[in-house]
Amino acid sequence: MSEIRSTPDRIIKAFIELFRDCGYKGATTRAVAERAGVNELTIFRHFGNKKGLMEAALQSISYQPMLEKIIHEEMTWDLEHDLRVIAEDYLSYMEKISDLVLIGVREAEMFPELNEIIVQISKQLKETMVSYFTEMSRRGKLIDIDVDFQVMNFIWMNFGYFLSKCRFGDSVISSSKDDFIKHSIFLFTRGLTP
């Protein structure tokens, strides 16, 4: 039995598939409509324009809801444990959508509307992590730091590992994801813990 999807879900799925196969430029509203089995006007009615469709597609695969769920349900307020859980989940998630991320990074400079959407998603991730670090600081579990800088260091550390593995495989860093997380989170938390 096939899964029944709403029209907006079918359109988003078609856009993501075309983005993966053809990039942002190739994922035209006409091609999306054809793949989704809808009229092109239906796309405009649901999403306004291609930028609106891209926003909806990125939100549908965004890590943000998962991160918020982790913070609300799995945090123990032990910095090393919590950052390990976040890093493991983030890197697993990024591996699943690696081709989309790499295409988005490559094409963002060519398409300002795509870049704008990617920046907003990055800001959401940063804001959620800033809230977590701020709460840890309030609880006296962090040294006196600039929270924004340390959140960005955490994000860069994990995103850098992800990019390195995607681009170079094991030729730059051959250790496993688990070893990377274990060692980097240990060192990172050691520097932040009073």
Side-chain angles (χ1 to χ4, degrees), residues 106-170:
R106 183 184 69 225
E107 294 191 4
E109 289 301 314
M110 295 183 284
F111 302 103
E113 66 274 20
L114 175 59
N115 192 56
E116 182 183 316
I117 295 164
I118 291 171
V119 166
Q120 286 306 314
I121 289 172
S122 298
K123 283 182 178 180
Q124 290 174 344
L125 173 61
K126 178 186 171 199
E127 288 169 9
T128 301
M129 290 301 299
V130 164
S131 294
Y132 169 77
F133 272 63
T134 300
E135 178 60 22
M136 287 296 283
S137 184
R138 189 192 68 73
R139 291 174 181 231
K141 296 190 174 193
L142 293 178
I143 60 172
D144 187 22
I145 57 164
D146 183 305
V147 168
D148 280 0
F149 285 138
Q150 296 314 315
V151 163
M152 289 311 302
N153 282 332
F154 178 75
I155 292 170
W156 291 329
M157 174 177 70
N158 287 287
F159 190 66
Y161 176 81
F162 160 76
L163 282 180
S164 179
K165 280 296 197 181
C166 283
R167 179 66 180 87
F168 305 114
D170 289 340

Side-chain angles (χ1 to χ4, degrees), residues 6 13 27 37 46 91 96 99-100 103 116-117 121-122 126 129 165 171 188:
S6 71
K13 181 181 184 289
H46 284 284
L91 289 171
K96 289 177 190 167
D99 51 347
L100 295 174
I103 292 167
E116 182 183 316
I117 295 164
I121 289 172
S122 298
K126 178 186 171 199
M129 290 301 299
K165 280 296 197 181
S171 63
F188 189 81

Side-chain angles (χ1 to χ4, degrees), residues 36-65:
V38 299
N39 185 297
E40 193 173 9
L41 291 174
T42 304
I43 293 173
F44 298 125
R45 188 172 55 245
H46 284 284
F47 302 102
N49 55 29
K50 185 174 175 177
K51 180 182 176 190
L53 177 55
M54 181 66 174
E55 286 175 2
L58 288 176
Q59 286 303 323
S60 77
I61 61 168
S62 174
Y63 178 65
Q64 187 64 25

Side-chain angles (χ1 to χ4, degrees), residues 41-90:
L41 291 174
T42 304
I43 293 173
F44 298 125
R45 188 172 55 245
H46 284 284
F47 302 102
N49 55 29
K50 185 174 175 177
K51 180 182 176 190
L53 177 55
M54 181 66 174
E55 286 175 2
L58 288 176
Q59 286 303 323
S60 77
I61 61 168
S62 174
Y63 178 65
Q64 187 64 25
M66 288 181 250
L67 177 59
E68 289 176 3
K69 184 176 189 224
I70 289 168
I71 288 178
H72 292 300
E73 295 177 8
E74 296 183 44
M75 296 298 93
T76 62
W77 305 106
D78 172 87
L79 187 64
E80 187 171 353
H81 169 270
D82 293 352
L83 293 184
R84 208 177 262 206
V85 167
I86 292 168
E88 287 169 358
D89 196 63
Y90 173 79

Side-chain angles (χ1 to χ4, degrees), residues 166-185:
C166 283
R167 179 66 180 87
F168 305 114
D170 289 340
S171 63
V172 173
I173 181 167
S174 61
S175 63
S176 70
K177 177 176 66 175
D178 292 338
D179 284 342
F180 165 76
I181 291 170
K182 176 183 167 188
H183 294 288
S184 62
I185 297 300

